[in-house]
Amino acid sequence: MTAYDLLIKGGLVLSPGDGLDARRDVAVRDGTVAAVEPDLDPAGAASVLDATGALVCPGLVDAHAHVYWGATSIGAWPDDVCAGGGVTTVADGGSSGTDTFAGFHRWIVGGSRTRVLCHLNLARIGLTGLLPELRPDLVDPDGVADLIGAHPGTVAGIKLRLSQDVTGGPCRPMLELGARVSAETGKPLHLHIGGTAEPLPELLPLLSPGDTVTHYQTPRPHGLLDENGILLPAVREARERGVLFDCGHGMSHFSFAVAEALLAQDFPPDTISSDLSRRSFPDLAPGLLTVMNKWLALGMPLTDVLKAATATPAAALGHPGLGRLRPGAEADLAVLAWEDGDFTYGDAVGATRTAHRRLAPLATIRAGDVRRIT
């Protein structure tokens, strides 16, 4: 009789949420981490994965993507865009509203091997393509509150896309409405910025600890920097109050220049997410890991990058037990390797940066099941 279903042997275990950075073997039994020790006997394992020279990390948590496949024009199938890049948990960013959540819950959450959560759109139509979506006749605050009550483990927050083309004008009334629902339900807001009618300092005071501002390095108007490239005081004050700032890469919201200015002013992202979609995935493949590599190319430390893609987003999504690698935790793991070469990355405004090292996926393990080995 074997002691373990799977033994991942010889890797450098890096789990910033647990303060772990050491060579360890990781044993898995019945879908959970059974042991994390310096040297475990492979004879006691049904299967052994050799991770010599690789990083063994908690499964990556992509806190902002679009995975309502088959119902929205941008929806990717979760398993297609997660399993190949170390992601074991993904949160959809507002694709579903109260009119469309039932299908999302049954077919996407229920049909994916990847763990799928969501930020429920305040607009009942979600991201069906109709703009402006966030307008008085389309929002459904009572329905959102009801669904949160019925599905608290799946609905991680309330999505508000505040750009002027989404709201059709000022966004403050919608933000005030969303803040009311958030206070009633205890679920945080997830705010899309960039191109808002109002400047950010007028909006940030309405946010509460645990709320997230996404697209933090957007080059679009009314971002985090003033006209001279200086971080707005209201932004730093919001972080001091507990508001989180998320990368939310997307197709039009990642600027190297803005990201570099924010890093230079000691304001890195709290969470790193892809905001990927069916349209953007070909350029971002294998997904979140490409976005993480961009931050590494900008000089953000590996431990900080990994924490921003594991423990911190897991806690922000209301699942603090995820993004961890310790005995008793669900065995969601990513095995990653360093590759050397010349790797060029682009941004939304045509700028490029080159790196000479990047992380590449070797295996994605979800609840002890080896999903993908490259």
Side-chain angles (χ1 to χ4, degrees):
M1 181 177 179
T2 57
Y4 307 122
D5 302 319
L6 173 67
L7 179 63
I8 306 169
K9 192 159 183 66
L12 174 64
V13 174
L14 185 56
S15 180
D18 301 298
L20 185 56
D21 182 357
R23 201 217 66 81
R24 293 286 187 271
D25 294 344
V26 179
V28 175
R29 181 175 55 241
D30 298 330
T32 63
V33 177
V36 182
E37 299 290 344
D39 190 18
L40 293 169
D41 185 359
S47 177
V48 178
L49 195 163
D50 183 5
T52 303
L55 301 179
V56 181
C57 311
L60 304 181
V61 178
D62 194 343
H64 182 181
H66 293 283
V67 292
Y68 199 170
W69 180 87
T72 67
S73 62
I74 62 173
W77 180 247
D79 294 344
D80 288 346
V81 297
C82 293
V87 174
T88 53
T89 299
V90 62
D92 184 89
S95 298
S96 64
T98 54
D99 283 359
T100 58
F101 177 81
F104 179 82
H105 188 262
R106 173 172 289 190
W107 305 116
I108 308 301
V109 176
S112 305
R113 184 67 181 122
T114 305
R115 179 187 292 102
V116 180
L117 310 172
C118 80
H119 294 106
L120 187 64
N121 204 312
L122 190 65
R124 58 183 176 80
I125 61 172
L127 301 184
T128 58
L130 178 64
L131 290 175
E133 81 203 32
L134 204 61
R135 64 192 199 203
D137 61 320
L138 290 178
V139 296
D140 184 11
D142 292 338
V144 168
D146 288 344
L147 281 177
I148 288 172
H151 303 279
T154 297
V155 181
I158 303 160
K159 182 68 181 218
L160 296 170
R161 298 204 306 150
L162 298 183
S163 297
Q164 192 167 2
D165 59 348
V166 178
T167 61
C171 63
R172 186 183 177 98
M174 291 295 105
L175 179 53
E176 291 173 341
L177 181 59
R180 191 198 81 194
V181 180
S182 175
E184 291 172 356
T185 62
K187 291 292 184 179
L189 299 177
H190 193 260
L191 266 62
H192 158 125
I193 64 163
T196 56
E198 300 95 325
L200 206 51
E202 294 184 15
L203 307 176
L204 291 175
L206 298 175
L207 303 187
S208 299
D211 291 342
T212 293
V213 175
T214 192
H215 306 315
Y216 114 127
Q217 71 292 293
T218 181
R220 300 181 68 189
H222 293 162
L224 275 61
L225 304 177
D226 67 15
E227 63 275 12
N228 297 313
I230 305 301
L231 182 70
L232 295 166
V235 172
R236 197 177 295 278
E237 190 276 335
R239 171 171 282 178
E240 291 171 353
R241 289 191 293 108
V243 174
L244 302 173
F245 290 85
D246 171 57
C247 166
H249 184 288
M251 296 181 69
S252 62
H253 289 284
F254 191 89
S255 161
F256 282 121
V258 175
E260 288 165 338
L262 290 166
L263 291 177
Q265 295 173 71
D266 193 28
F267 202 84
D270 293 295
T271 56
I272 294 174
S273 68
S274 68
D275 186 26
L276 64 78
S277 66
R278 181 179 62 81
R279 297 171 185 169
S280 66
F281 183 71
D283 290 330
L284 282 179
L288 177 60
L289 199 57
T290 297
V291 183
M292 294 166 63
N293 279 321
K294 289 189 177 186
W295 287 104
L296 291 172
L298 292 176
M300 193 170 170
L302 172 62
T303 300
D304 294 349
V305 169
L306 190 60
K307 186 176 183 180
T310 54
T312 302
L317 292 168
H319 291 265
L322 303 178
R324 301 297 185 95
L325 202 169
R326 57 189 176 189
E330 190 159 4
D332 286 1
L333 307 166
V335 183
L336 311 173
W338 288 109
E339 286 185 348
D340 295 319
D342 294 317
F343 310 109
T344 300
Y345 300 106
D347 72 2
V349 295
T352 61
R353 299 291 186 273
T354 299
H356 302 292
R357 206 179 192 208
R358 70 179 180 186
L359 286 172
L362 290 183
T364 303
I365 298 161
R366 169 76 176 96
D369 178 29
V370 181
R371 302 282 323 285
R372 185 81 60 87
I373 297 180
T374 56

